Amino acid sequence: MIEELEIKDLGVIAQTTLPLGPGFTTITGETGAGKTMVVTALSLLMGARSDSSLVRSGAAQARIGGVIGRLNIPAVAALVDEAGGEIEEGELLLSRTVRAEGASRATVGGVRAPASVLSQLAQHLFCLHGQSDQLRLRSQTEQRETLDRFGGSAIGEALTKYISAYERLSALQQEVSEIAENRAARCREAEQLRAEINEISAVDPQENETAEVTALVEKLAHAEQLRAAVAGAANALSGDDSGADSVDALSILSIAIEQVREGAHIDSTLADSLNELESVLAQTQSVARDLFAYGADLEAGGPAELAAAQQRLADLKQLERNYGPELSDVLAYFAAANDRLLLLDQDDDRLAILESELNTAREDHAAAATELSELRSTAAARLSQLVTAELKHLALPEAALEISVAPREAGSHGADEVLFLLRSHQGATPAPLARAASGGELSRIMLAIEVVLAGTDPVPTFVFDEIDAGIGGAAAIEVGRRLKKLSQTAQVIVVTHLPQVAAFADNHLRVLKDSAGGYTESSCQQLVGEEREKEIARLLSGLTDSDSAREHARELLDMGVSNL
């Protein structure tokens, strides 16, 4: 539960701390005082979208901090731990900051975290109802989700099973439809792929071959220049031994070696120089042999080899133009085309397999849909009974809620049309909630549903923003009484303008507006004793010092304490 809520620079609220705690807390105040900002603060703490316009004029940022106490929810502990935060002695600190320039940040358990973490935590900690939520109850989606929530884990598991079966069936149907409806196109695609694969296979390109063949063409095209250069270099290293005046490198090195060898007989320190010269001679002889061999290879080539290399390069370049731009792209396309062709050639076999899988998927889907429908029908009867009983305590003694679960075309959430019907009095024809319920009736129906759900799907904290809209008198007293009952198993926080509701609260907070100095600022005050009596009187008549209003206020407060 929320033990304390701190608000700073949010809307008209400059700075205030709301002591909350267990039981039933009511929040009252004059119109425009800032009661809505309290609900907005709670919404932000639950991960709602931030809005820089909420920052109080002149302030750099708005900040909301909350102390969540008495925590013993494993799912919450897991989320906090995953975010890197800590729960200390059963208390969790949450905060949300909204900057005037639009940025927002949150902290969970003392560490920064995305606002989405607050939203995930809120699912386990809070249930907030505003007037828009009452209107949402008129939608069939909200009605179905409410019924499923009441059904608990049984419906939850059945719905998960159904969704899995539905998605499997949809995927198989889509694949069968794609193959069957596009059969001609797939055949044309297969033929085109076959021709392209044959074209690439005929050339049989190898990795990096374009560069290699390009180099070969360049070499063969300049064979004469290469032969002349290599021959000159080879002769310079190792000339024709028949010549009397030969002065090639090998001859010169041989002479040098002989001279140094004679010197080494006299001085051994020349041995290192002799070894180096002999090594140079061996390397020079090796280079000379390589050059003579290179020249011999060039002689063996010729125009035929050049023509073949040029044709090979042309074939590779054509493939690159068709499937490139690089040869690596051609090879990648070749592999992908083979895989795709294999799939297309298996259409007939695949269709047979899919039809078999589809029959099984249809059976699984039908079974899952039937199971879900049966569970929803059972839950609908039970929820109708319990909510109708609650309505009798909310000044709707003849009203009854009937929940219809009828077959419909299967969708992503089942094959049921869930519809909430209201029978306003005995003998009346049940009509859809969206048409039959007034604003006040809708408020009480929603409260009745929450009271019932609290017994099957407990939430630590309920927040109601003017749930009593559209009602008054005896109905308002019954709403206060049921909120009091709900607070026996959960924390209940209610923003209200009705004294009949506020009188049942265990904790009464008033939002005060101060317009001194030309600026409007609001804060919050906890009311007890005479101050609370005055506030109830103000809610009753607009007067705080009227004896009759004060007497009526005391009567309401006494009733709130003694009569549940």
Side-chain angles (χ1 to χ4, degrees):
M1 70 180 65
I2 309 174
E3 293 188 345
E4 185 176 279
L5 181 68
E6 180 186 3
I7 306 173
K8 183 177 180 181
D9 294 330
L10 183 69
V12 295
I13 299 179
Q15 183 167 5
T16 192
T17 300
L18 284 70
L20 298 173
F24 179 4
T25 294
T26 189
I27 300 171
T28 61
E30 295 180 1
T31 301
K35 300 189 298 298
T36 301
M37 283 298 107
V38 175
V39 178
T40 300
L42 288 167
S43 299
L44 289 169
L45 209 59
M46 298 175 197
R49 183 186 294 273
S50 64
D51 184 347
S52 60
S53 66
L54 296 173
V55 180
R56 189 170 67 91
S57 178
Q61 63 181 28
R63 184 184 183 280
I64 300 93
V67 180
I68 313 301
R70 307 186 189 187
L71 264 178
N72 187 25
I73 303 175
V76 170
L79 287 170
V80 173
D81 184 66
E82 184 178 346
E86 292 185 1
I87 298 175
E88 298 183 1
E89 298 181 356
E91 283 191 349
L92 172 62
L93 302 181
L94 302 177
S95 74
R96 185 79 179 275
T97 301
V98 180
R99 298 184 184 278
E101 62 267 22
S104 166
R105 69 179 184 181
T107 64
V108 174
V111 300
R112 288 191 63 173
S116 58
V117 177
L118 293 178
S119 300
Q120 293 170 2
L121 289 169
Q123 295 177 18
H124 303 282
L125 296 173
F126 311 113
C127 181
L128 188 151
H129 283 290
Q131 295 187 49
S132 60
D133 296 279
Q134 298 172 34
L135 296 176
R136 216 167 45 235
L137 186 59
R138 290 176 173 173
S139 81
Q140 287 188 251
T141 298
E142 184 74 14
Q143 292 171 10
R144 187 197 67 241
E145 290 176 354
T146 298
L147 176 61
D148 288 352
R149 182 180 161 201
F150 174 74
S153 60
I155 286 184
E157 292 170 5
L159 180 57
T160 299
K161 180 179 176 181
Y162 171 85
I163 292 174
S164 176
Y166 176 80
E167 290 177 348
R168 171 66 175 157
L169 177 61
S170 298
L172 288 170
Q173 288 174 331
Q174 182 176 353
E175 188 173 357
V176 168
S177 176
E178 180 183 349
I179 293 175
E181 292 178 6
N182 302 304
R183 192 63 178 274
R186 290 169 72 89
C187 287
R188 289 192 299 271
E189 182 185 358
E191 288 306 312
Q192 181 179 347
L193 287 173
R194 218 179 309 278
E196 292 170 344
I197 289 169
N198 289 338
E199 180 184 358
I200 298 173
S201 296
V203 177
D204 190 22
Q206 304 300 311
E207 195 74 37
N208 300 319
E209 190 180 359
T210 301
E212 295 170 0
V213 175
T214 300
L216 177 60
V217 169
E218 182 72 9
K219 170 185 171 181
L220 295 174
H222 298 86
E224 288 300 324
Q225 292 173 263
L226 287 171
R227 272 195 294 269
V230 168
N235 287 329
L237 293 176
S238 178
D240 186 353
D241 291 338
S242 64
D245 298 325
S246 177
V247 288
D248 57 84
L250 290 176
S251 298
I252 294 171
L253 284 170
S254 296
I255 293 170
I257 288 170
E258 288 303 321
Q259 295 295 327
V260 174
R261 183 178 288 118
E262 289 180 10
H265 290 311
I266 300 170
D267 184 358
S268 60
T269 60
L270 290 172
D272 288 343
S273 296
L274 178 62
N275 290 336
E276 289 180 8
L277 282 169
E278 289 175 340
S279 176
V280 170
L281 177 62
Q283 291 177 15
T284 304
Q285 289 171 334
S286 177
V287 171
R289 285 193 298 269
D290 290 344
L291 290 173
F292 281 123
Y294 182 85
D297 287 342
L298 284 175
E299 291 290 344
E305 186 178 358
L306 174 60
Q310 289 174 330
Q311 183 59 52
R312 182 65 179 173
L313 183 59
D315 292 341
L316 293 172
K317 289 293 186 181
Q318 185 62 46
L319 289 181
E320 288 178 345
R321 283 192 292 273
N322 292 343
Y323 309 106
E326 303 294 336
L327 190 60
S328 58
D329 300 311
V330 175
L331 295 172
Y333 180 81
F334 182 69
N338 274 288
D339 291 341
R340 177 63 175 168
L341 181 59
L342 180 62
L343 178 65
L344 294 173
D345 284 343
Q346 293 175 343
D347 274 358
D348 290 338
D349 294 338
R350 181 60 180 156
L351 270 175
I353 294 172
L354 285 175
E355 288 295 345
S356 176
E357 293 179 355
L358 199 54
N359 289 332
T360 301
R362 288 192 185 99
E363 293 173 0
D364 292 343
H365 174 261
T370 298
E371 179 185 6
L372 181 59
S373 295
E374 290 174 351
L375 288 170
R376 280 175 170 164
S377 296
T378 301
R382 180 66 178 152
L383 181 59
S384 299
Q385 179 184 7
L386 293 174
V387 171
T388 297
E390 280 296 322
L391 292 177
K392 297 185 186 308
H393 297 290
L394 290 170
L396 291 171
E398 295 188 0
L401 181 69
E402 295 184 10
I403 301 177
S404 166
V405 180
R408 53 157 287 177
E409 183 180 352
S412 58
H413 291 87
D416 310 307
E417 180 183 53
V418 177
L419 186 61
F420 283 23
L421 305 170
L422 179 65
R423 179 168 51 78
S424 57
H425 55 84
Q426 290 290 339
T429 301
L433 203 61
R435 297 201 311 265
S438 65
E441 289 172 332
L442 204 59
S443 298
R444 282 176 278 177
I445 291 169
M446 189 183 73
L447 177 57
I449 289 171
E450 287 300 345
V451 171
V452 171
L453 290 179
T456 59
D457 182 27
V459 175
T461 299
F462 288 89
V463 180
F464 296 102
D465 181 17
E466 298 194 8
I467 190 177
D468 45 29
I471 61 175
I477 291 175
E478 295 305 327
V479 167
R481 183 175 284 115
R482 300 326 278 174
L483 288 169
K484 181 72 170 182
K485 177 184 177 182
L486 183 60
S487 73
Q488 293 172 354
T489 56
Q491 180 185 38
V492 175
I493 301 170
V494 179
V495 175
T496 186
H497 63 279
L498 292 181
Q500 298 95 326
V501 172
F504 282 91
D506 306 301
N507 179 32
H508 193 149
L509 305 176
R510 178 176 60 181
V511 178
L512 300 171
K513 181 170 64 174
D514 182 5
S515 299
Y519 295 96
T520 299
E521 293 184 356
S522 295
S523 60
C524 190
Q525 175 185 11
Q526 188 173 34
L527 303 179
V528 294
E530 186 176 350
E531 289 299 320
R532 187 182 184 194
E533 185 180 297
K534 287 182 179 180
E535 177 65 3
I536 296 295
R538 184 193 68 79
L539 293 171
L540 281 166
S541 64
L543 304 173
T544 59
D545 295 325
S546 165
D547 290 338
S548 59
R550 294 280 293 273
E551 182 179 354
H552 192 183
R554 284 191 293 271
E555 183 181 358
L556 281 177
L557 289 169
D558 290 342
M559 178 188 64
V561 171
S562 61
N563 184 8
L564 295 182

